[in-house]
Amino acid sequence: ADKFFVYVSPDQIGVNAFLKLGQAGIEEAGEKYGADVETYESRTAADRLENVNAAVNEGADIVVLLGFEFNDIVKQVAPTAPDTQFLIVDQCIDDRPDNVHCAVFREYEASYLVGVAAGMLTESNKVGVVGALDIPFLHRYTDAYADGVKSVNADASVDIRWVGGENPFADPVRAKEQAVAMNAAGADQIFTATSGGDFGVFEAAKEKDFDVYSVDVNQCPNAPGHVVDVTLKRVDNAMVQAIGAILEGEKKLTMALGLKEGGVSTIALEEDELADSGCLIADHPEVAAKMREVAGQIEDGSLKLEDPMFAK
Amino acid sequence: MFELIADPSFAASIPRFVTPILLAALGGALCERAGVFNIALEGFLLVGAFAAVLGAYFSGTPYIGALTAMVAGMALGVVFAEFNVRRGGDSIVVSIAINLLAAGLTTFFLRAIFDVTGAFSDPAIAGFSPIRLPFIENVPLLGPILSGQALPFYLALLSVPFLHVFLARHRLGLRIRAAGENPQALRAGGVSPKRVQLLALIACGALCGLGGAQLSIANVNLFVENMSAGRGWIAVVAVLLTRGRPWPLFFIALLFGAVDSLSFRVQGLGLAQQFTDMMPYLATLIVLVALSWWRARRAKGDAS
Amino acid sequence: MRIDLQDVTVRFGPVTAVDSVSLGIKPGEIHALLGENGAGKSTLMNALFGLVTPASGTISLDGKAHRWASPQDAIAHGLGMVHQHFMLQEEMTVLENIVLCAEPVGRFGFVDFARARSRLDEIAKTHGVAIDLDRRVGRLSVGERQAVEILKVLYREAEVLILDEPTAVLTPQEKDRLFATLKSFREAGKAIVLITHKLDEVMEIADRVSVMRAGRLVASSSLAETSKEEIARGIVGGDLPAARTRKQLSPGETVLAVDGLTVARRGRDVGPVSFDLRAGEIVGIAGVSGNGQAELIRALTGLELVRSGSITLCGNEIQKLDVEARRQGGMSYIPEDRQRMGLALRASVSENANAGRDDAGAFTVGPFLKHGAMAQYARSLIERYRIRVAGPRASASTMSGGNKQKLVVGRELSRNTPLVIAENPTWGVDIGAIDFIHGELMRMRDAGHAILLVSTELDEVIALSDRILVMYDGAIAGEVDGGEASRDRVGALMTSRAADALGAASPGAAA
Amino acid sequence: MMAFDAGKATRSALPWLFTFLWIAAIILALLLFVGAPVGEALSGFWNGAFGGRRNAYLMATLSRSALIVGMALSVMLSFRAGLFNIGGEGQLVAGGLVAALVGVLLPGPPLLVLVVAILAAMLAGALWALLAGVLQLFMGVPLLVGSLLLNYPIRYIASYLVAHPYRDVQSGMVQSHLVPQETWFAYFPGTRLDIGILFTAVAAAFALIYSYWTVHGYHTRLNGLSPDFARTVGLPVRRLTLQTLALSGAIAGMVGAIAVFGIHHRYIDGMLVQPLYAWTGIIAVLLVGMVPWAVPISGFFFAAVQTGAAGMERAAGVPKEIALVVQAVIILFVASRVSGALTASRGDGDGHV
Ligand SMILES: Nc1ncnc2c1ncn2[C@@H]1O[C@H](COP(=O)(O)OP(=O)(O)OP(=O)(O)O)[C@@H](O)[C@H]1O
Ligand SMILES: Nc1ncnc2c1ncn2[C@@H]1O[C@H](COP(=O)(O)OP(=O)(O)OP(=O)(O)O)[C@@H](O)[C@H]1O
Ligand SMILES: [Mg+2]
Ligand SMILES: [Mg+2]
């Protein structure tokens, strides 16, 4: 092939559904546009820089970078590599040169919807959320979820906890313990955004029999009968679209993808998938209906949500 | 705060935190007593966790999983012995290398065997199910701690008195202590200290392997890279602190497990996660300082 | 059981430690093995015992040739050895030490301690060697430890006993008890090999005497056919150095004054100790090791804190000062443990020679070292003290024990301080080096330095000291004038409970 | 200095050859296990470590080795003094954190800010190391344990500071604000290698001179070889311990500043911990038996193994994890030869005492 795309992940791809989607996206784009593709996985901040440099050095036409971790690096590297196009998925930077493009998501819109469901379904009036690490990005999940809960159930209390520890994005043991602890404290609806830890939360749900919510892709089959709904993030679609636009010569492309653009979603909104999803939401049509209603308000702008990432 | 501690799920979680640390520390204690300075418990645990998943996945039973983990740990013990005991490599160097080797091999085989990076989870991984103890489970405070845990926990509990008696009265236990204290004398008695140290390392590998199995197929049912997540280091500290004596070791491991378990529960009280993460390490430091202060006092008291 | 060593040769790399030695040991005899340091005695016995493998030669028991794979083999065939450096586990009890490596096991490999106890009861009855089986060895005196070693050998039903310098650390009284026990073994028909440097003991107890020099057996005959002088000539390969004569000097002013000094120790404090030391005299401190000498020295040199009392050096109180300040105030120290405290073995000779020098200006410029000046200084020590070593850059670990000791002695004596503390300065070095070191100490004394000599070697203390202080149980038990000192007199003051360790069978000492 | 002896060298050549063959065989076995094309993997490794357009990958290796060698030097100073300070990581983090915070918060001319930040980073590293020393000397916590444990609090303190009070909110990450662009280290012309490596070079020169030619270095070495000996000849052991730890910590702190001003231009949570700079430094030192002149070479070697492994992954799809295995295998075989030899020479002599 005459074109060469490189996807640089910010972390180990592993079971991280989001990063896996990025890999799927680059492969799809490669097929669609006839390009060789490669994936460079990073583990550390230093790796990220080295990988981006290596991608340029290996002559990539388009370097796709997933995650906000690459902002500084792109700022440094892009001006020195005018022949390479950089696509940052998930965040954008100011004062970009022409060869830097962005595609961002408004995950908090979907998280808010999931919060709405949890707020309606809780019987104890206590809900919980576990994030991997107390970082701003994950507040898009945790805070938006909490806001969603409060919007339908002002009395409900939301317990926000973090996995932390030595290995926050892949510590199912601690994730599970957090979920168990929250459940013991009364929470019956728990949202998990813990990457590798999600499995731990699912196990806790199976053992202690409570409802969970998760992120990125349909995880309902991982704990049948316990996952109510998940937020979806269409990284692959976004990537293919953005790469197409870049190949057509677009400069400083910016794509922002929320509910409206179909960049994020939840199972409840996907009426054709709903029945076979294995998600509990299928058994709660009134909740799904409410979620669709709120989604409509968000899409038409009548309900405005703050991006929790920049809060504080 | 009180609510947190009274919560039965807190009590029930303690054994899950304690077991890997305790098993690794008991293994480390055998090495310590045999005069092998093994600070690679982290690596031993990790290999155990991986091998347990491997065995449990392909056999479909957690027992084979635990057995695989123990065998893998024993193999790592042999590697340690080869380089430290037989070739005379510095124990700290060998330990660091073993830790690296464990991290490298587990991630490497994770990718080579299961074709994933980061983590491997599959319904086919057969985990331990909780064992209910008929009468004990109804005892108020102890019930949730002692009943409903996985097999490795009970084995760990039994190991403590067993190792105590073993070191005091068993032929090999005697020789292990001799190898640690005055290997020259053991050699003069016609027993090769190196052989004894090899055996201690193998036993250490088996115990750590079981500890790893608790992490990966009892606490959860999956393997994640670097899953030991510092627990081996805590075990090392426990061994150094107690000079490898089983009973004190048990209480120290219990303390660490409880603090660890407590530490992220207090997140619920609004403490920043960074500070709760710090707690086990600070608790360890405090115990260390207190212990040496107490020892110094006692030594003084003794002399006067 | 009769033992024959035939043409046994042992090599360590290029060194031939034992060179084609043939030796017979008969049952019912005490066979003394003598020779200089490094002559190969221990190595020969280690070969017999399976601790080292001979390059060639055979070992036969009752005419049957054997090759040992390990000491266990030798033990199984009835050999027992008491090593000079005791092979004991301090943290374990006496009983555990005795059964270790020969454990009577019950089910699943657990040790049957009850069976061991009853066996030991019997042994106590037949040979009169008994000791409390539940005490920790770390708390035993030297004599008691030796009893444990002997019990170990008896417990294994040894027919042949090898004792490597068993008497070096014993008081005369303890020695008597040991010899009584050995005689009872001889009557029981056991063969005994006794390695020692002390000719009087050989004359007292041996039936046969063999002498080694430089790895070869130079003489072997029954005691009746030889004489003390002949043996001594055999050991050194020539005539003995003449006995030293001491110049009478009148001691000068007080250099060191110790007053009511007590030092913390586990169990019971050491002290209070008080004594004076004047310029131009050698004061010896004798005593069985473990009676507080080590603590006293550590307190004097600043290595350990003083609990109470005062130390005055050249008129200044120093008990609160650190080691460096005390050394600068006029103290030098030859530590007993040259491997650990006297030298940094992996550093070079030059680095060792220059450590702790007061005249820093002579080998430094600002923060930098003058390697040349350091080497020069090391060379001067090497020459003056006739140290045999490749050169200043050689690693200290390449020197033999005597030469290591000379380096330490040289370094400390050349500081020319008013006070020299010498702790077992000739421990384990051979006759030539001993003579040299004694000469240097006497020379320093004659030049008006004060010397505190601490030694477990009674003969050394008696030969060198102007006054002798005897320590027992953490205090000074008495003082003996150098001129009137005799082994018995000093030995009586050194008397310790340890003398009881070998049982009531032998003539006891008053405790 | 370790004298070079030709006769010894020939005698020890054969075991070294075997060592090398063992390592090669294990690597080969791993490559075959994953079915990687061996030739491509090896050339990918070489290219990834030393090649690239305009030597870009060599520059990456150098950039990595600036930090690894720096940490190795820090560790070497402690270890040679017999101080098992394995808290380099914490000292590194302390330095990096303080450098970034000073860079962000201190107003003034860039050069001044830079100088103050680097000095402050060194001070921070030194203080963190001293804490471990104080714990050992005055509270009886063994240095090995104390220094290890102290790695964790500082890591979480740093994490907290850049997650809450000093977070760059706009970036959405747990990281501090950027330090002013004028304070960034310049690149060598035509490369993406910053001048941080010059600091490491200066530190290396200092460490070598210190170890071989200074009185302080001589004294700490004696203390390292035999603490009992050092005490007996009246060296101020406590002071030496604290001074050495401070020195060692200061170098680690400086390395943190290099990472901030040369590479990341801010403090990002985990940036100094995850790449295992400190542990790699420890290994680099132990691999060569703490011989000072060999330490920078050894550090560079490990940087090359790491970047080379990434190159191998790009070129032949060999999992990068192999680098960890390779490092471990090299350490096991080589270090056991080196330290084995050291122990042997320790034990000789006449056997008395
Ligand atoms: N393991 C060894 N490696 C190298 N050389 C050794 C070893 N053991 C002993 N030697 C050397 O062999 C020679 C004989 O030593 P051996 O210990 O047998 O002497 P010895 O007669 O017992 O002397 P001593 O009176 O000091 O006990 C000495 O030169 C010693 O340094
Ligand atoms: N150069 C050496 N290298 C290694 N090991 C040695 C060396 N010299 C001696 N040894 C070991 O140390 C042991 C004890 O040494 P040695 O024979 O000198 O002591 P000893 O006879 O018990 O004491 P002493 O010399 O006071 O009689 C030897 O048997 C030997 O195994
Ligand atoms: Mg000798
Ligand atoms: Mg000897």
Side-chain angles (χ1 to χ4, degrees), chain C residues 12 37 42-43 46 52 84-85 164-165 197 428, chain D residues 347-352:
Chain C
F12 297 108
N37 286 128
S42 299
T43 308
N46 287 344
V52 298
Q84 184 197 0
H85 307 290
D164 195 348
E165 296 191 45
H197 288 289
Chain D
D348 62 11
D350 67 347
H352 296 286

Side-chain angles (χ1 to χ4, degrees), chain A residues 62-68 70-71 74 85-105 238-239 241-243 245-246 250-257:
Chain A
I62 298 182
V63 182
V64 181
L65 306 164
L66 205 56
F68 42 78
F70 290 100
N71 292 359
V74 169
Q85 305 294 315
F86 295 86
L87 169 63
I88 315 179
V89 180
D90 230 22
Q91 233 217 338
C92 212
I93 52 175
D94 315 323
D95 308 326
R96 297 177 263 162
D98 285 349
N99 59 337
V100 177
H101 315 273
C102 309
V104 296
F105 299 88
M239 239 185 221
Q241 278 179 42
I243 288 177
I246 293 167
E250 185 104 30
K251 294 196 163 111
K252 284 215 263 186
L253 170 84
T254 308
M255 289 172 77
L257 305 158

Side-chain angles (χ1 to χ4, degrees), chain C residues 337-347 352, chain D residues 80-82 219-233 235 237:
Chain C
D337 189 342
R338 58 175 168 265
Q339 309 270 69
R340 206 163 55 81
M341 299 173 74
L343 297 170
L345 286 184
R346 284 159 63 204
N352 273 291
Chain D
R80 275 177 68 87
H219 285 168
T220 52
R221 174 173 140 79
L222 290 180
N223 189 28
L225 290 174
S226 171
D228 289 315
F229 169 69
R231 254 166 75 71
T232 309
V233 295
L235 296 179
V237 175

Side-chain angles (χ1 to χ4, degrees), chain A residues 168-202:
Chain A
F169 286 96
D171 197 336
V173 183
R174 289 172 71 99
K176 179 178 176 182
E177 292 297 337
Q178 275 310 10
V180 168
M182 285 199 290
N183 176 247
D188 60 349
Q189 309 285 321
I190 294 176
F191 181 35
T192 165
T194 59
S195 296
D198 289 349
F199 292 97
V201 179
F202 294 154

Side-chain angles (χ1 to χ4, degrees), chain C residues 437-455:
Chain C
I437 291 167
H438 285 178
E440 283 300 310
L441 290 176
M442 291 302 279
R443 184 181 60 71
M444 292 293 281
R445 162 195 180 264
D446 296 347
H449 297 261
I451 294 173
L452 186 65
L453 170 72
V454 185
S455 180

Side-chain angles (χ1 to χ4, degrees), chain C residues 191-440:
Chain C
I192 295 154
V193 181
L194 180 69
I195 298 179
T196 177
H197 288 289
K198 297 175 185 172
L199 291 186
D200 292 331
E201 292 175 359
V202 174
M203 305 316 290
E204 178 186 340
I205 195 170
D207 302 304
R208 205 174 166 79
V209 183
S210 296
V211 180
M212 289 182 73
R213 195 169 63 242
R216 296 170 169 279
L217 186 69
V218 292
S220 183
S221 55
S222 84
L223 188 72
E225 292 162 17
T226 184
S227 70
K228 201 168 161 180
E229 289 67 33
E230 197 183 331
I231 298 170
R233 272 198 300 278
I235 293 172
V236 295
D239 285 323
L240 289 173
R244 206 165 287 286
T245 52
R246 194 180 358 220
K247 256 191 279 176
Q248 273 303 333
L249 281 178
S250 51
E253 57 200 70
T254 302
V255 172
L256 176 75
V258 176
D259 190 23
L261 184 70
T262 61
V263 193
R265 179 169 66 161
R266 230 189 144 76
R268 219 175 75 70
D269 284 2
V270 170
V273 172
S274 307
F275 64 91
D276 283 348
L277 179 55
R278 281 172 295 171
E281 72 172 349
I282 296 181
V283 170
I285 293 188
V288 178
S289 64
N291 275 291
Q293 304 96 310
E295 287 80 4
L296 173 64
I297 296 303
R298 292 176 65 81
L300 290 180
T301 51
L303 291 167
E304 198 164 310
L305 288 179
V306 169
R307 192 187 276 286
S308 65
S310 72
I311 308 169
T312 313
L313 175 63
C314 304
N316 306 312
E317 289 215 354
I318 59 165
Q319 70 269 19
K320 294 222 159 35
L321 301 182
D322 65 9
V323 179
E324 188 180 18
R326 292 188 198 195
R327 285 172 67 88
Q328 277 165 2
M331 174 190 293
S332 295
Y333 174 44
I334 299 166
E336 145 184 279
D337 189 342
R338 58 175 168 265
Q339 309 270 69
R340 206 163 55 81
M341 299 173 74
L343 297 170
L345 286 184
R346 284 159 63 204
S348 68
V349 170
S350 165
E351 285 171 316
N352 273 291
N354 286 278
R357 257 174 94 179
D358 308 305
D359 51 341
F363 66 104
T364 60
V365 230
F368 299 104
L369 295 170
K370 290 198 276 190
H371 281 294
M374 287 171 69
Q376 191 53 47
Y377 181 73
R379 255 191 296 275
S380 74
L381 282 191
I382 290 172
E383 272 161 35
R384 192 138 50 93
Y385 290 89
R386 288 180 300 210
I387 301 168
R388 274 178 45 195
V389 63
R393 292 179 60 111
S395 162
S397 62
T398 60
M399 287 185 290
S400 76
N403 285 303
K404 281 178 186 153
Q405 187 67 16
K406 286 190 203 166
L407 177 58
V408 178
V409 170
R411 181 186 67 215
E412 294 300 314
L413 294 191
S414 8
R415 297 179 68 234
N416 255 320
T417 50
L419 173 65
V420 176
I421 298 177
E423 197 178 5
N424 283 334
T426 58
W427 197 40
V429 301
D430 64 38
I431 299 179
I434 291 174
D435 190 55
F436 180 81
I437 291 167
H438 285 178
E440 283 300 310

Side-chain angles (χ1 to χ4, degrees), chain C residues 6 145 152 192 203 215 227 309 410 465 486:
Chain C
Q6 266 297 325
R145 287 173 200 223
K152 265 165 76 175
I192 295 154
M203 305 316 290
S227 70
S465 307
S486 70

